[in-house]
């Protein structure tokens, strides 16, 4: 196992290993996210059963986020990532062995928890590879590539395997991804022992961090950014149906988002030295606000695809800026806890908001959902201007 000093001498190797670990865990969860509900439907079960399985992906990461963050602060990278990979591995193997509603819910819960648990440890340790503000933005730009890569690779792998080899084979191959994560984690150096400040932080309440006004504003902005993608994913099909768009046209619109998001994340490490984070954050929120305001006014698939591409650019830029600023605003010994607070808010929202979207969508229609989100993002841009001063 590499020594702690290697973290400084070989940051690129450690960063590549962390990126591989997050891709493995996230691609596994995304593959199960496709395979589990399809399996439920193949068994002839109701839409309620599908909803139950999908809820498991968000509920368990929300419940386990705070223990995961504290464990990462206390024990560093390796133990949390091993536990995360173990959860995902157990869930996929259980689903490979037998498929019923219980095992599919367990697979969803364990793979979702593994992805969320691992993400907290990976993001916390990644910040320690950076020597300054510019380098931190660059590091999180690379780390932000992992969900984009996994979001394309995991479902594609699962879909091909389901079509050609069946559900059991799909779950079994998906289990290889967290197994690969365990191997890739060996390239990440072991952290030095905890400092006395970290021991004291263990006794403090994680929610006490919310007394820091800049951090509170940033967590609100982070939640809204996550919510905006959920609204987009929910309301776009409704709007597309109202406009008479085909399923392939809607798929092309979502693909435009994915390509643009991945492209801007590839460019950001090269441009990090020229970017001012608060300006970047505010500009991205205003751009996202404009996209949500324009969507309901569009009629053609090409215009919506252009809007989706702009949204991909905006949200692709904003994620690394949020993560870098989050680490600046928080004491180093409590990075895991603040990442846990962010994860709790996002996953609780993922579990609860679809029902609210459904009620609102039925009551006021998809265009109003877009405009409500635009108004919230406009308010968030004002909060982004007030984030500061940064720590240290």
């Amino acid at each position: 196992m590499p020594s702690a000093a290697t973290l400084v001498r070989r940051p690129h190797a450690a960063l590549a290993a962390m990126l591989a670990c997050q891709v493995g865990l996230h691609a596994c969860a995304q593959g199960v996210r496709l395979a589990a509900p399809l399996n439920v439907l193949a068994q002839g079960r109701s839409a309620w059963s599908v909803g139950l399985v999908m809820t498991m992906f968000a509920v368990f990461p929300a419940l386990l986020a705070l223990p995961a963050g504290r464990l990462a602060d206390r024990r560093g990278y390796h133990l949390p990532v091993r536990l995360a990979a173990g959860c995902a591995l157990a869930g996929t193997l259980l689903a490979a062995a037998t498929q019923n509603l219980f095992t599919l819910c367990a697979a969803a819960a364990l793979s979702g928890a593994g992805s969320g648990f691992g993400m907290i440890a990976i993001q916390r340790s990644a910040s320690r590879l950076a020597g300054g503000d510019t380098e931190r933005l660059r590091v999180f730009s690379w780390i932000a590539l992992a969900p984009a890569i996994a979001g394309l690779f995991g479902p594609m792998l699962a879909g091909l395997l389901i079509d050609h080899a069946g559900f059991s084979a799909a779950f079994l191959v998906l289990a290889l991804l967290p197994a690969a994560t365990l191997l890739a984690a060996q390239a990440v150096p072991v952290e030095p022992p905890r400092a006395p400040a970290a021991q004291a932080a263990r006794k403090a309440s994680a929610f006490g961090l919310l007394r820091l006004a800049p951090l509170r504003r940033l967590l609100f902005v982070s939640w809204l950014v996550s919510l905006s993608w959920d609204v987009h994913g929910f309301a776009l099909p409704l709007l597309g149906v109202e406009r008479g768009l085909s399923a392939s046209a809607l798929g092309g619109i979502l693909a435009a988002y994915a390509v643009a998001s991945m492209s801007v994340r590839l460019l950001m490490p090269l441009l990090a030295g020229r970017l001012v984070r608060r300006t970047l954050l505010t500009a991205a929120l205003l751009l996202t606000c404009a996209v949500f305001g324009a969507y309901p006014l569009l009629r053609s698939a090409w215009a919506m695809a252009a809007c989706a591409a702009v949204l991909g650019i905006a949200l692709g830029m904003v994620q690394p800026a949020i993560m870098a600023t989050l680490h600046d605003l928080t004491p180093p010994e409590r990075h895991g806890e603040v990442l846990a607070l962010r994860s709790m808010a996002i996953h609780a929202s993922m579990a609860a908001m679809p029902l609210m979207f459904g009620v609102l969508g039925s009551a006021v229609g998809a265009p109003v959902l877009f405009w409500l989100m635009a108004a919230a993002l406009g308010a968030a841009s004002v909060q982004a201007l007030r984030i500061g001063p940064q720590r240290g």
Side-chain angles (χ1 to χ4, degrees), residues 172-273:
L172 193 59
V173 173
L174 288 172
L176 297 176
L177 296 173
T181 292
L182 291 172
L183 294 177
Q186 303 307 306
V188 179
V190 177
E191 290 183 28
R194 282 161 53 91
Q199 299 289 346
R202 184 179 175 185
K203 300 177 183 178
S205 168
F207 294 99
L209 290 168
L210 297 178
R211 288 196 291 266
L212 300 171
L215 182 60
R216 195 165 59 243
R217 293 187 188 106
L218 184 63
L219 288 172
F220 170 71
V221 168
S222 177
W223 172 73
L224 268 184
V225 166
S226 174
L227 183 64
S228 70
W229 171 240
D230 290 338
V231 169
H232 184 262
F234 179 88
L236 178 64
L238 298 180
L239 189 66
V241 170
E242 288 181 14
R243 300 291 185 266
L245 301 182
S246 66
S248 58
L250 288 170
I253 293 169
L254 292 174
Y257 168 87
V259 170
S261 178
M262 188 176 295
S263 299
V264 77
R265 288 176 181 179
L266 283 169
L267 287 174
M268 277 194 70
L270 306 176
L271 303 175

Side-chain angles (χ1 to χ4, degrees), residues 177-374:
L177 296 173
T181 292
L182 291 172
L183 294 177
Q186 303 307 306
V188 179
V190 177
E191 290 183 28
R194 282 161 53 91
Q199 299 289 346
R202 184 179 175 185
K203 300 177 183 178
S205 168
F207 294 99
L209 290 168
L210 297 178
R211 288 196 291 266
L212 300 171
L215 182 60
R216 195 165 59 243
R217 293 187 188 106
L218 184 63
L219 288 172
F220 170 71
V221 168
S222 177
W223 172 73
L224 268 184
V225 166
S226 174
L227 183 64
S228 70
W229 171 240
D230 290 338
V231 169
H232 184 262
F234 179 88
L236 178 64
L238 298 180
L239 189 66
V241 170
E242 288 181 14
R243 300 291 185 266
L245 301 182
S246 66
S248 58
L250 288 170
I253 293 169
L254 292 174
Y257 168 87
V259 170
S261 178
M262 188 176 295
S263 299
V264 77
R265 288 176 181 179
L266 283 169
L267 287 174
M268 277 194 70
L270 306 176
L271 303 175
R274 303 177 185 178
L275 300 173
V276 178
R277 260 189 267 152
R278 193 179 341 191
T279 304
L280 177 65
L281 189 57
T282 306
L285 287 168
L286 288 173
L287 191 58
T288 307
C289 171
V291 167
F292 274 84
Y295 250 122
L297 306 177
L298 305 176
R299 295 284 170 180
S300 77
W302 286 107
M304 287 187 183
C307 252
V310 174
L311 182 66
I313 292 169
L315 296 186
M317 290 191 303
V318 78
Q319 181 74 2
I322 286 174
M323 296 309 301
T325 308
L326 193 71
H327 283 77
D328 275 356
L329 294 172
T330 313
E333 66 274 6
R334 304 193 71 181
H335 281 168
E337 284 183 289
V338 78
L339 287 168
L341 290 176
R342 176 178 175 271
S343 180
M344 285 172 65
I346 290 172
H347 284 100
S349 177
M350 287 171 62
M353 285 299 174
L355 180 60
M356 192 182 81
F357 295 159
V359 172
L360 283 174
S362 299
V364 300
V368 176
L369 275 179
F370 276 104
W371 287 326
L372 287 173
M373 195 69 241

